[in-house]
């Protein structure tokens, strides 16, 4: 299985290393036949071949500067391609591309952000594929960044689905499923948005079909729980 | 302790990016549009500071606020070495990073700012491993090699980065103590830093914080060179807004930084570019900014 990390800018190497550790854990403890190759994605040819077939099963959009990332996705011809791959709109596409956005990456995936949202009249400068709303830097500036234990519930049928982990929030966005009725004409999809982790009242990890977002940075801590969860998402 | 961990993490989010010196809100917008990950707000770019002479200080808060209002990417600003009141002002302005910079005229002949007293993250310049580790011990969460700002000449940036890398490699087989020859204990004493940080760098094989290249980057190829040498990103000072066409140069340097290991992309970024900034040989300089700081 090949997993990509979008390598425009940001915590790319941190994700690459964490994925490798997670893959090793999974192979040793759960899936002996699992082989994961991690690739950095910079250009369209890292994502698809000439026949428009996907070369990777999943991609991580790392933390970084969402403004710079969004501009460069467009400039390097990755914007539409990624959007199509996540939504299954490529020619010859057999499976949806699994995607995980951390922090800035989560903002890129949200259909609605504090600065822009997708509607019939509005083409946002972000990918806008997931039915969530992100409020950029809602926690404040860097002075308000924090490290905290969060409660996770992966609800995947395992007894150990519920757990705690240390999470690093750096100029984090606030994420929540958006109310489809609320903004006039945002197109919601049928798939339910599940909340996987919470910090008090705030949802900090959400899942919708092939899309995962976290407002914190699992690539900055040793715990590979979320990277393992994402690899399992990519496997199915 | 958490704050430095968070600040180191914040700096990691800038990796692979270009940080550009800007002097007005309009320039900041051009930088953001080109794909800069942050801007450095300052009154005069280093090449003008060189030309004008005199004392270079922190910028007027009004100008910094205008730039903060103009862009959504992080805004950094510079304070004089050791000038902790300028740092307090920038912290209260809510800048995203403070650069304690040798490009401005130093304010304290002995001490750098005690960065552990601040919540806002600091970036500091370094020319060798000892200097880098002293700054990190004081609380810096990001290092930039000093290079020689305002020259458009890359040699000093390369010199400083190679120097740091070679020193890190030399730690590998060094004993903790020794009666004859170099030891980590002796080296830590010489560098005036705790031995723990020296050991941490030895184990990691790199600095404990992000390192960007700075001082002399004038072309896309310069940026790609520093990235291939292992830097985490680049600062471009006079190189963009002193070139013939800042928007084009900014974009080309961003392209080359991201695609640093793909020669065909760096070639594309370098082709047909407007003229780069006016440059200077190091021997012609009256003042070497990199020598400031201790």
């Amino acid at each position: 299985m090949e997993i990509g990390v979008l390598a425009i800018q940001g915590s790319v190497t941190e994700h690459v290393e964490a994925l490798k550790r997670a893959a090793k854990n999974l192979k040793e403890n759960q899936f002996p036949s699992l082989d994961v190759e991690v690739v950095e994605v910079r250009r369209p040819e890292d994502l698809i071949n000439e026949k428009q077939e996907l070369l990777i099963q999943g991609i991580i959009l790392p933390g970084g500067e969402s403004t710079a990332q969004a501009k460069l996705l467009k400039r390097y011809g990755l914007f539409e391609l990624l959007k199509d791959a996540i939504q299954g709109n490529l020619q010859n596409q057999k499976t949806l591309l699994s995607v995980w956005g951390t922090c800035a990456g989560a903002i890129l995936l949200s259909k609605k952000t504090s600065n822009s949202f997708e509607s019939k009249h509005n083409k946002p400068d972000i990918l806008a594929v997931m039915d969530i709303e992100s409020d950029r830097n809602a926690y404040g500036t860097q002075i308000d960044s924090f490290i905290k234990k969060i409660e996770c519930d992966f609800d995947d049928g395992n007894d150990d689905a519920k757990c705690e982990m240390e999470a690093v929030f750096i100029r984090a966005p606030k994420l929540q499923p958006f109310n489809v009725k609320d903004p006039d004409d945002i197109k919601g999809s049928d798939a339910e948005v599940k909340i996987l982790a919470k910090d008090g009242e705030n949802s900090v990890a959400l899942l919708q079909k092939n899309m995962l977002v976290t407002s914190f940075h699992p690539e900055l801590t040793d715990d590979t729980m979320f990277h393992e969860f994402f690899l399992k998402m990519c496997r199915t | 302790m958490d704050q430095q961990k968070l600040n180191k993490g914040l700096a990691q989010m800038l990796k692979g990016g270009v940080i550009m010196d800007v002097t007005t809100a309009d320039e900041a917008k051009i930088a953001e549009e080109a794909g800069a990950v942050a801007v450095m707000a300052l009154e005069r770019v280093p090449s003008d500071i060189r030309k004008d002479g005199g004392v270079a200080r922190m910028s007027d808060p009004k100008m910094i606020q205008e730039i903060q209002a103009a862009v959504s990417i992080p805004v950094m600003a510079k304070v004089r070495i050791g000038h902790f009141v300028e740092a307090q002002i920038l912290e209260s302005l809510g800048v995203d990073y403070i650069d304690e910079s040798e490009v401005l005229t130093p304010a304290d002949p002995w001490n750098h700012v005690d960065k552990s007293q601040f919540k806002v993250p600091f970036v500091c310049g370094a020319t060798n491993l000892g200097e880098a580790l002293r700054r990190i011990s004081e609380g810096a969460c990001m290092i930039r090699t000093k290079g020689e700002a305002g020259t458009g000449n890359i040699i000093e940036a390369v010199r400083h980065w190679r120097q740091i890398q070679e020193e890190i490699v030399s730690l590998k087989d060094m004993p903790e103590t020794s009666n004859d020859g170099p030891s980590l204990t002796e080296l830590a004493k010489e560098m005036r830093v705790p031995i723990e940080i020296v050991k941490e760098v030895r184990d990691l094989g790199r600095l404990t914080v992000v390192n960007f290249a700075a001082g002399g980057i004038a072309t896309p190829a310069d940026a790609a060179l520093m990235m291939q040498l292992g830097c985490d990103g680049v600062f471009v000072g006079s190189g963009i807004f002193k070139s013939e066409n800042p928007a084009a140069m900014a974009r080309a340097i961003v392209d080359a930084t991201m695609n640093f290991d793909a020669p065909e992309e760096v070639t594309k970024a370098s082709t047909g570019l407007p003229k780069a900034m006016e440059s200077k040989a190091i021997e012609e300089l009256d003042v070497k900014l990199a020598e400031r700081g201790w």
Side-chain angles (χ1 to χ4, degrees), chain B residues 68-91:
Chain B
Q68 285 176 308
V71 293
S72 72
I73 54 178
V75 175
M76 305 182 170
K78 290 181 192 288
V79 299
R80 285 178 268 176
I81 288 172
H83 205 312
F84 54 86
V85 172
E86 286 186 347
Q88 289 163 2
I89 293 171
L90 290 187
E91 184 170 61

Side-chain angles (χ1 to χ4, degrees), chain A residues 132-219:
Chain A
I132 56 164
E133 179 177 348
S134 62
D135 191 357
R136 286 186 209 212
N137 303 326
Y139 288 99
T141 66
Q142 174 62 3
I143 289 175
D144 309 298
S145 292
F146 58 96
I147 299 174
K148 204 169 168 187
K149 281 240 161 37
I150 55 163
E151 293 156 33
C152 312
D153 184 355
F154 288 103
D155 191 29
D156 57 357
N158 283 334
D159 294 339
D160 56 359
K162 282 190 187 167
C163 52
E164 275 195 341
M165 75 173 281
E166 190 180 79
V168 181
F169 293 84
I170 296 174
R171 295 184 67 184
K174 278 192 181 165
L175 306 175
Q176 57 178 340
F178 71 64
N179 181 351
V180 182
K181 287 181 205 126
D182 171 28
D184 52 324
D185 51 2
I186 293 182
K187 297 183 297 275
S189 79
D190 299 332
E192 183 200 354
V193 178
K194 290 184 200 161
I195 293 170
L196 299 185
K198 280 191 140 189
D199 158 40
E201 285 306 296
N202 297 318
S203 46
V204 296
L206 301 100
L207 174 70
Q208 183 180 34
K209 228 163 51 178
N210 57 325
M211 297 172 283
L212 171 68
V213 287
T214 55
S215 57
F216 57 98
H217 293 277
E219 77 277 20

Side-chain angles (χ1 to χ4, degrees), chain B residues 43 56-61 64 77-80 85-87 89-90 93 104:
Chain B
E43 254 159 20
R57 310 183 179 90
M58 178 193 79
S59 298
D60 184 338
I64 295 169
K78 290 181 192 288
V79 299
R80 285 178 268 176
V85 172
E86 286 186 347
I89 293 171
L90 290 187
L93 278 176
L104 304 185

Side-chain angles (χ1 to χ4, degrees), chain A residues 8-10 13-14 42-43 63-65 67-68 71 75-76 142-143 145-146 166 169-171 217 220, chain B residues 2 5-7 9-10 12-15 32-37 72 74 96 119 251 255 258-259 265:
Chain A
I8 285 185
Q9 179 279 315
T13 48
E14 292 80 357
R42 288 196 174 84
R43 288 172 272 275
E65 282 309 316
T67 311
K71 284 191 195 308
R75 195 190 299 171
Y76 301 134
Q142 174 62 3
I143 289 175
S145 292
F146 58 96
E166 190 180 79
F169 293 84
I170 296 174
R171 295 184 67 184
H217 293 277
L220 296 185
Chain B
D2 263 11
K5 194 172 169 190
L6 285 166
N7 286 349
L10 182 75
Q12 278 168 279
M13 299 307 142
L14 297 173
K15 281 171 61 181
E32 182 174 60
E33 196 48 46
V37 289
S72 72
D96 297 288
K119 287 189 94 179
R251 196 178 148 129
D255 287 348
M258 179 185 145
N259 296 297
E265 297 291 331

